[in-house]
Amino acid sequence: MLILDVRFYCTLNGVEPVREWLRALPGEARKVIGEDIKTIQFGWPVGMPLARKLDSGLWELRSHLPSGISRVLFTVVGHTMVLLHGFVKKSAKTPKVELETARQLKREVHRG
């Protein structure tokens, strides 16, 4: 078991998309997602039902909210969990546009 540092992906302009997305959610949703992030942080590696591998080096955090289901897509670099992209799911399958966004950000993080 490994304790991870947690960081938000940050653009060159200083924007942290996951942090901004979280701030726009209701307080109860933020609390649930925060607890789920903490569970992964202090218990990595974590599997289903909380976390699922999507791709090489790309995982999704699966949080169940009162208003639906959210996903935070993340990568792990060394001992750091980097939160790349967050969204509320509206369909059974992770939408391709959300997955492609996270893949692009993951490439940037691992290049950097």
Side-chain angles (χ1 to χ4, degrees), residues 28-70:
E28 183 59 31
R30 285 195 309 270
K31 183 177 179 196
V32 169
I33 294 167
E35 288 294 321
D36 288 345
I37 289 170
K38 192 167 130 183
T39 299
I40 290 176
Q41 177 184 12
F42 288 96
W44 186 252
V46 176
M48 291 288 282
L50 187 59
R52 180 172 75 108
K53 188 171 186 171
L54 295 174
D55 226 346
S56 175
L58 185 65
W59 289 267
E60 68 175 355
L61 164 67
R62 305 157 55 91
S63 295
H64 294 277
L65 309 176
S67 60
I69 298 170
S70 78

Side-chain angles (χ1 to χ4, degrees), residues 3-102:
I3 296 175
L4 300 174
D5 291 323
V6 178
R7 300 281 180 262
F8 289 94
Y9 167 82
C10 187
T11 68
L12 294 174
N13 299 342
V15 175
E16 296 172 318
V18 174
R19 187 185 304 267
E20 291 186 3
W21 171 74
L22 284 169
R23 284 187 177 141
L25 294 174
E28 183 59 31
R30 285 195 309 270
K31 183 177 179 196
V32 169
I33 294 167
E35 288 294 321
D36 288 345
I37 289 170
K38 192 167 130 183
T39 299
I40 290 176
Q41 177 184 12
F42 288 96
W44 186 252
V46 176
M48 291 288 282
L50 187 59
R52 180 172 75 108
K53 188 171 186 171
L54 295 174
D55 226 346
S56 175
L58 185 65
W59 289 267
E60 68 175 355
L61 164 67
R62 305 157 55 91
S63 295
H64 294 277
L65 309 176
S67 60
I69 298 170
S70 78
R71 296 290 187 257
V72 176
L73 305 185
F74 67 95
T75 191
V76 176
V77 181
H79 294 162
T80 303
M81 175 185 188
V82 182
L83 308 178
L84 300 170
H85 185 57
F87 60 97
V88 174
K89 246 178 109 162
K90 304 206 183 324
S91 63
K93 202 169 179 187
T94 301
K96 280 189 191 298
V97 67
E98 309 292 2
L99 193 52
E100 280 309 313
T101 298

